Amino acid sequence: MKRILLLLTALLFAACGSNTDTTVSKEDMTFPFGNKLPSPTFTGEAYLQPMIQRDTVFNFPATNNITFAPGAHSTWHRHGGMVVLVTGGVGLYQEEGKPAQILRKGDVLQIPAGVRHWHGAAPGGRFAHLAANTNPDKPGVEWFDLLPEEEYNKLPKE
């Protein structure tokens, strides 16, 4: 796990460095947007760009770039765990029963396996992150209910 974190952190800083700029245009995003994700599991527009296939020889996890349009966010969900490397914009992340966290370019987040959470762009700006699956033996995502918009709109913006 430490080796994965080190490799992903190096990739993040090589690609985009650390920056606190919160006004990110589509052209300023580090990686391509990819394909639009299905709307039942996201509020607003979100995109997935596969970056690295799972490598069983070097034990490197499948890694994808996920981009959220301004105000877009996921529904509550859980999965086998992942490491998130923020590559642009300002985002929000919240685990069930805990306050929301603000995420900025350069932040690294480890999402534990099985923890209910949601994440997405802060209102008014784009947000992108690399997501590395840390438990390839537990693929897939279990999706739950939407985060109510009135709850989302009360969260910090920056």
Side-chain angles (χ1 to χ4, degrees):
M1 177 58 94
K2 288 181 184 180
R3 190 173 99 197
I4 291 170
L5 285 172
L6 183 61
L7 287 170
L8 290 173
T9 302
L11 175 62
L12 171 70
F13 287 109
C16 62
S18 181
N19 185 343
T20 58
D21 182 15
T22 61
T23 57
V24 180
S25 71
K26 184 174 180 176
E27 294 76 28
D28 291 334
M29 298 307 278
T30 305
F31 297 109
F33 275 32
N35 298 315
K36 188 173 178 183
L37 289 165
S39 58
T41 54
F42 291 87
T43 298
E45 293 184 10
Y47 303 86
L48 173 75
Q49 174 65 47
M51 302 295 285
I52 302 170
Q53 297 290 327
R54 179 178 179 209
D55 186 315
T56 56
V57 174
F58 295 103
N59 198 29
F60 201 84
T63 303
N64 300 304
N65 181 58
I66 302 172
T67 303
F68 295 89
H73 54 86
S74 72
T75 63
W76 287 95
H77 62 283
R78 69 176 160 215
H79 43 67
M82 68 178 43
V83 173
V84 170
L85 305 169
V86 180
T87 60
V90 175
L92 296 167
Y93 168 79
Q94 184 175 17
E95 291 181 3
E96 188 172 44
K98 295 182 180 179
Q101 300 175 36
I102 296 175
L103 301 174
R104 292 184 177 83
K105 188 175 181 179
D107 287 348
V108 177
L109 173 70
Q110 184 172 358
I111 302 174
V115 171
R116 269 177 64 126
H117 65 281
W118 70 268
H119 46 102
R126 295 188 193 283
F127 173 64
H129 64 68
L130 292 177
N133 179 355
T134 57
N135 194 348
D137 297 328
K138 293 187 179 183
V141 178
E142 185 178 4
W143 297 99
F144 299 101
D145 50 323
L146 291 170
L147 174 71
E149 283 305 298
E150 54 276 0
E151 192 176 321
Y152 171 78
N153 290 328
K154 291 178 185 175
L155 295 169
K157 314 255 186 295
E158 287 186 33

